[in-house]
PDB file of all heavy atoms in Angstrom:
ATOM      1  N   VAL S 258     145.571  93.471  92.272  1.00 87.00           N
ATOM      2  CA  VAL S 258     145.084  94.818  91.979  1.00 87.00           C
ATOM      3  C   VAL S 258     144.923  95.003  90.475  1.00 87.00           C
ATOM      4  O   VAL S 258     143.905  95.530  89.995  1.00 87.00           O
ATOM      5  CB  VAL S 258     146.043  95.875  92.558  1.00 87.00           C
ATOM      6  CG1 VAL S 258     145.657  97.272  92.083  1.00 87.00           C
ATOM      7  CG2 VAL S 258     146.044  95.810  94.084  1.00 87.00           C
ATOM      8  N   GLN S 259     145.895  94.558  89.700  1.00 84.00           N
ATOM      9  CA  GLN S 259     145.830  94.688  88.243  1.00 84.00           C
ATOM     10  C   GLN S 259     144.640  93.914  87.679  1.00 84.00           C
ATOM     11  O   GLN S 259     143.902  94.405  86.809  1.00 84.00           O
ATOM     12  CB  GLN S 259     147.139  94.171  87.630  1.00 84.00           C
ATOM     13  CG  GLN S 259     147.199  94.225  86.117  1.00 84.00           C
ATOM     14  CD  GLN S 259     147.345  95.637  85.588  1.00 84.00           C
ATOM     15  OE1 GLN S 259     147.721  96.542  86.332  1.00 84.00           O
ATOM     16  NE2 GLN S 259     147.056  95.830  84.307  1.00 84.00           N
ATOM     17  N   ASN S 260     144.429  92.716  88.194  1.00 83.00           N
ATOM     18  CA  ASN S 260     143.360  91.852  87.686  1.00 83.00           C
ATOM     19  C   ASN S 260     141.986  92.405  88.036  1.00 83.00           C
ATOM     20  O   ASN S 260     141.097  92.498  87.185  1.00 83.00           O
ATOM     21  CB  ASN S 260     143.521  90.439  88.261  1.00 83.00           C
ATOM     22  CG  ASN S 260     142.744  89.399  87.475  1.00 83.00           C
ATOM     23  OD1 ASN S 260     141.730  89.691  86.871  1.00 83.00           O
ATOM     24  ND2 ASN S 260     143.236  88.181  87.498  1.00 83.00           N
ATOM     25  N   ILE S 261     141.808  92.814  89.302  1.00 83.00           N
ATOM     26  CA  ILE S 261     140.478  93.241  89.739  1.00 83.00           C
ATOM     27  C   ILE S 261     140.078  94.566  89.104  1.00 83.00           C
ATOM     28  O   ILE S 261     138.891  94.812  88.855  1.00 83.00           O
ATOM     29  CB  ILE S 261     140.424  93.337  91.282  1.00 83.00           C
ATOM     30  CG1 ILE S 261     138.973  93.363  91.775  1.00 83.00           C
ATOM     31  CG2 ILE S 261     141.163  94.556  91.798  1.00 83.00           C
ATOM     32  CD1 ILE S 261     138.251  92.074  91.620  1.00 83.00           C
ATOM     33  N   LEU S 262     141.059  95.420  88.796  1.00 80.00           N
ATOM     34  CA  LEU S 262     140.728  96.726  88.246  1.00 80.00           C
ATOM     35  C   LEU S 262     140.558  96.711  86.735  1.00 80.00           C
ATOM     36  O   LEU S 262     139.795  97.521  86.190  1.00 80.00           O
ATOM     37  CB  LEU S 262     141.808  97.743  88.620  1.00 80.00           C
ATOM     38  CG  LEU S 262     141.929  98.087  90.103  1.00 80.00           C
ATOM     39  CD1 LEU S 262     143.001  99.140  90.313  1.00 80.00           C
ATOM     40  CD2 LEU S 262     140.596  98.574  90.665  1.00 80.00           C
ATOM     41  N   PHE S 263     141.241  95.815  86.050  1.00 73.00           N
ATOM     42  CA  PHE S 263     141.203  95.831  84.581  1.00 73.00           C
ATOM     43  C   PHE S 263     140.744  94.506  83.994  1.00 73.00           C
ATOM     44  O   PHE S 263     139.867  94.469  83.134  1.00 73.00           O
ATOM     45  CB  PHE S 263     142.582  96.200  84.026  1.00 73.00           C
ATOM     46  CG  PHE S 263     143.076  97.534  84.516  1.00 73.00           C
ATOM     47  CD1 PHE S 263     144.048  97.618  85.502  1.00 73.00           C
ATOM     48  CD2 PHE S 263     142.543  98.706  84.012  1.00 73.00           C
ATOM     49  CE1 PHE S 263     144.505  98.840  85.964  1.00 73.00           C
ATOM     50  CE2 PHE S 263     142.990  99.946  84.469  1.00 73.00           C
ATOM     51  CZ  PHE S 263     143.970 100.007  85.448  1.00 73.00           C
ATOM     52  N   GLY S 264     141.304  93.406  84.456  1.00 64.00           N
ATOM     53  CA  GLY S 264     140.962  92.115  83.869  1.00 64.00           C
ATOM     54  C   GLY S 264     139.515  91.724  84.070  1.00 64.00           C
ATOM     55  O   GLY S 264     138.905  91.093  83.206  1.00 64.00           O
ATOM     56  N   GLN S 265     138.933  92.094  85.225  1.00 62.00           N
ATOM     57  CA  GLN S 265     137.565  91.684  85.529  1.00 62.00           C
ATOM     58  C   GLN S 265     136.532  92.755  85.200  1.00 62.00           C
ATOM     59  O   GLN S 265     135.357  92.595  85.531  1.00 62.00           O
ATOM     60  CB  GLN S 265     137.468  91.323  87.015  1.00 62.00           C
ATOM     61  CG  GLN S 265     138.360  90.170  87.428  1.00 62.00           C
ATOM     62  CD  GLN S 265     138.066  88.896  86.670  1.00 62.00           C
ATOM     63  OE1 GLN S 265     136.914  88.610  86.352  1.00 62.00           O
ATOM     64  NE2 GLN S 265     139.100  88.132  86.358  1.00 62.00           N
ATOM     65  N   THR S 266     136.924  93.849  84.568  1.00 62.00           N
ATOM     66  CA  THR S 266     135.979  94.900  84.216  1.00 62.00           C
ATOM     67  C   THR S 266     136.005  95.157  82.715  1.00 62.00           C
ATOM     68  O   THR S 266     135.218  94.571  81.973  1.00 62.00           O
ATOM     69  CB  THR S 266     136.307  96.187  84.991  1.00 62.00           C
ATOM     70  OG1 THR S 266     137.704  96.516  84.797  1.00 62.00           O
ATOM     71  CG2 THR S 266     136.058  95.999  86.476  1.00 62.00           C
ATOM     72  N   VAL S 267     136.911  95.996  82.272  1.00 61.00           N
ATOM     73  CA  VAL S 267     136.951  96.376  80.858  1.00 61.00           C
ATOM     74  C   VAL S 267     137.219  95.165  79.975  1.00 61.00           C
ATOM     75  O   VAL S 267     136.509  94.922  78.989  1.00 61.00           O
ATOM     76  CB  VAL S 267     138.025  97.461  80.627  1.00 61.00           C
ATOM     77  CG1 VAL S 267     138.108  97.816  79.154  1.00 61.00           C
ATOM     78  CG2 VAL S 267     137.715  98.693  81.474  1.00 61.00           C
ATOM     79  N   HIS S 268     138.246  94.373  80.330  1.00 59.00           N
ATOM     80  CA  HIS S 268     138.601  93.232  79.496  1.00 59.00           C
ATOM     81  C   HIS S 268     137.478  92.204  79.464  1.00 59.00           C
ATOM     82  O   HIS S 268     137.178  91.611  78.418  1.00 59.00           O
ATOM     83  CB  HIS S 268     139.894  92.592  80.022  1.00 59.00           C
ATOM     84  CG  HIS S 268     140.393  91.455  79.187  1.00 59.00           C
ATOM     85  ND1 HIS S 268     140.072  90.137  79.453  1.00 59.00           N
ATOM     86  CD2 HIS S 268     141.173  91.426  78.074  1.00 59.00           C
ATOM     87  CE1 HIS S 268     140.634  89.353  78.555  1.00 59.00           C
ATOM     88  NE2 HIS S 268     141.313  90.104  77.709  1.00 59.00           N
ATOM     89  N   ARG S 269     136.833  91.965  80.603  1.00 63.00           N
ATOM     90  CA  ARG S 269     135.768  90.970  80.658  1.00 63.00           C
ATOM     91  C   ARG S 269     134.560  91.407  79.841  1.00 63.00           C
ATOM     92  O   ARG S 269     133.866  90.581  79.247  1.00 63.00           O
ATOM     93  CB  ARG S 269     135.375  90.745  82.121  1.00 63.00           C
ATOM     94  CG  ARG S 269     134.554  89.484  82.352  1.00 63.00           C
ATOM     95  CD  ARG S 269     134.203  89.342  83.822  1.00 63.00           C
ATOM     96  NE  ARG S 269     133.545  88.085  84.101  1.00 63.00           N
ATOM     97  CZ  ARG S 269     134.158  86.988  84.520  1.00 63.00           C
ATOM     98  NH1 ARG S 269     135.459  87.002  84.708  1.00 63.00           N
ATOM     99  NH2 ARG S 269     133.491  85.881  84.756  1.00 63.00           N
ATOM    100  N   TYR S 270     134.294  92.723  79.808  1.00 61.00           N
ATOM    101  CA  TYR S 270     133.165  93.222  79.015  1.00 61.00           C
ATOM    102  C   TYR S 270     133.466  93.151  77.518  1.00 61.00           C
ATOM    103  O   TYR S 270     132.628  92.750  76.722  1.00 61.00           O
ATOM    104  CB  TYR S 270     132.857  94.663  79.419  1.00 61.00           C
ATOM    105  CG  TYR S 270     131.743  95.306  78.612  1.00 61.00           C
ATOM    106  CD1 TYR S 270     130.415  95.101  78.953  1.00 61.00           C
ATOM    107  CD2 TYR S 270     132.028  96.113  77.499  1.00 61.00           C
ATOM    108  CE1 TYR S 270     129.384  95.679  78.218  1.00 61.00           C
ATOM    109  CE2 TYR S 270     131.014  96.698  76.758  1.00 61.00           C
ATOM    110  CZ  TYR S 270     129.695  96.475  77.125  1.00 61.00           C
ATOM    111  OH  TYR S 270     128.685  97.046  76.386  1.00 61.00           O
ATOM    112  N   ALA S 271     134.677  93.563  77.137  1.00 62.00           N
ATOM    113  CA  ALA S 271     135.015  93.645  75.712  1.00 62.00           C
ATOM    114  C   ALA S 271     135.310  92.284  75.106  1.00 62.00           C
ATOM    115  O   ALA S 271     134.892  91.985  73.984  1.00 62.00           O
ATOM    116  CB  ALA S 271     136.209  94.580  75.524  1.00 62.00           C
ATOM    117  N   THR S 272     136.048  91.441  75.839  1.00 67.00           N
ATOM    118  CA  THR S 272     136.410  90.110  75.328  1.00 67.00           C
ATOM    119  C   THR S 272     136.095  89.066  76.386  1.00 67.00           C
ATOM    120  O   THR S 272     136.988  88.554  77.051  1.00 67.00           O
ATOM    121  CB  THR S 272     137.902  90.070  74.951  1.00 67.00           C
ATOM    122  OG1 THR S 272     138.681  90.448  76.106  1.00 67.00           O
ATOM    123  CG2 THR S 272     138.215  90.999  73.808  1.00 67.00           C
ATOM    124  N   PRO S 273     134.829  88.748  76.587  1.00 72.00           N
ATOM    125  CA  PRO S 273     134.444  87.804  77.637  1.00 72.00           C
ATOM    126  C   PRO S 273     134.953  86.402  77.329  1.00 72.00           C
ATOM    127  O   PRO S 273     135.048  86.001  76.158  1.00 72.00           O
ATOM    128  CB  PRO S 273     132.917  87.853  77.607  1.00 72.00           C
ATOM    129  CG  PRO S 273     132.578  88.293  76.225  1.00 72.00           C
ATOM    130  CD  PRO S 273     133.679  89.234  75.816  1.00 72.00           C
ATOM    131  N   PRO S 274     135.281  85.624  78.374  1.00 67.00           N
ATOM    132  CA  PRO S 274     135.807  84.272  78.148  1.00 67.00           C
ATOM    133  C   PRO S 274     134.744  83.242  77.800  1.00 67.00           C
ATOM    134  O   PRO S 274     135.064  82.154  77.347  1.00 67.00           O
ATOM    135  CB  PRO S 274     136.455  83.941  79.496  1.00 67.00           C
ATOM    136  CG  PRO S 274     135.683  84.737  80.496  1.00 67.00           C
ATOM    137  CD  PRO S 274     135.308  85.999  79.795  1.00 67.00           C
ATOM    138  N   GLY S 275     133.484  83.549  78.031  1.00 70.00           N
ATOM    139  CA  GLY S 275     132.431  82.569  77.761  1.00 70.00           C
ATOM    140  C   GLY S 275     131.062  83.210  77.754  1.00 70.00           C
ATOM    141  O   GLY S 275     130.924  84.433  77.765  1.00 70.00           O
ATOM    142  N   HIS S 276     130.018  82.365  77.708  1.00 78.00           N
ATOM    143  CA  HIS S 276     128.623  82.810  77.676  1.00 78.00           C
ATOM    144  C   HIS S 276     128.376  83.739  76.487  1.00 78.00           C
ATOM    145  O   HIS S 276     127.766  84.812  76.622  1.00 78.00           O
ATOM    146  CB  HIS S 276     128.245  83.513  78.986  1.00 78.00           C
ATOM    147  CG  HIS S 276     128.453  82.675  80.206  1.00 78.00           C
ATOM    148  ND1 HIS S 276     127.632  81.616  80.529  1.00 78.00           N
ATOM    149  CD2 HIS S 276     129.399  82.731  81.178  1.00 78.00           C
ATOM    150  CE1 HIS S 276     128.053  81.065  81.653  1.00 78.00           C
ATOM    151  NE2 HIS S 276     129.132  81.707  82.060  1.00 78.00           N
ATOM    152  N   ILE S 277     128.858  83.345  75.317  1.00 84.00           N
ATOM    153  CA  ILE S 277     128.696  84.158  74.115  1.00 84.00           C
ATOM    154  C   ILE S 277     127.302  83.934  73.536  1.00 84.00           C
ATOM    155  O   ILE S 277     126.900  82.792  73.275  1.00 84.00           O
ATOM    156  CB  ILE S 277     129.772  83.813  73.068  1.00 84.00           C
ATOM    157  CG1 ILE S 277     131.167  83.887  73.685  1.00 84.00           C
ATOM    158  CG2 ILE S 277     129.654  84.741  71.870  1.00 84.00           C
ATOM    159  CD1 ILE S 277     131.522  85.249  74.243  1.00 84.00           C
ATOM    160  N   HIS S 278     126.566  85.029  73.341  1.00 87.00           N
ATOM    161  CA  HIS S 278     125.205  84.938  72.802  1.00 87.00           C
ATOM    162  C   HIS S 278     124.961  86.081  71.815  1.00 87.00           C
ATOM    163  O   HIS S 278     125.719  87.053  71.758  1.00 87.00           O
ATOM    164  CB  HIS S 278     124.171  84.999  73.928  1.00 87.00           C
ATOM    165  CG  HIS S 278     124.267  83.863  74.902  1.00 87.00           C
ATOM    166  ND1 HIS S 278     123.794  82.597  74.620  1.00 87.00           N
ATOM    167  CD2 HIS S 278     124.777  83.802  76.160  1.00 87.00           C
ATOM    168  CE1 HIS S 278     124.007  81.802  75.666  1.00 87.00           C
ATOM    169  NE2 HIS S 278     124.606  82.504  76.600  1.00 87.00           N
ATOM    170  N   SER S 279     123.866  85.960  71.073  1.00 90.00           N
ATOM    171  CA  SER S 279     123.519  86.966  70.075  1.00 90.00           C
ATOM    172  C   SER S 279     123.001  88.232  70.758  1.00 90.00           C
ATOM    173  O   SER S 279     122.603  88.207  71.929  1.00 90.00           O
ATOM    174  CB  SER S 279     122.440  86.412  69.134  1.00 90.00           C
ATOM    175  OG  SER S 279     121.197  86.341  69.811  1.00 90.00           O
ATOM    176  N   PRO S 280     122.951  89.357  70.033  1.00 89.00           N
ATOM    177  CA  PRO S 280     122.432  90.601  70.628  1.00 89.00           C
ATOM    178  C   PRO S 280     120.984  90.495  71.105  1.00 89.00           C
ATOM    179  O   PRO S 280     120.554  91.266  71.951  1.00 89.00           O
ATOM    180  CB  PRO S 280     122.569  91.617  69.484  1.00 89.00           C
ATOM    181  CG  PRO S 280     123.676  91.082  68.635  1.00 89.00           C
ATOM    182  CD  PRO S 280     123.537  89.588  68.699  1.00 89.00           C
ATOM    183  N   ALA S 281     120.223  89.535  70.555  1.00 92.00           N
ATOM    184  CA  ALA S 281     118.811  89.397  70.936  1.00 92.00           C
ATOM    185  C   ALA S 281     118.618  88.460  72.124  1.00 92.00           C
ATOM    186  O   ALA S 281     117.476  88.153  72.480  1.00 92.00           O
ATOM    187  CB  ALA S 281     118.006  88.887  69.743  1.00 92.00           C
TER     188      ALA S 281
END
Side-chain angles (χ1 to χ4, degrees):
V258 172
Q259 179 72 18
N260 198 332
I261 197 70
L262 293 182
F263 302 104
Q265 299 301 324
T266 52
V267 178
H268 183 266
R269 196 180 186 95
Y270 177 84
T272 56
H276 303 287
I277 308 300
H278 297 283
S279 72

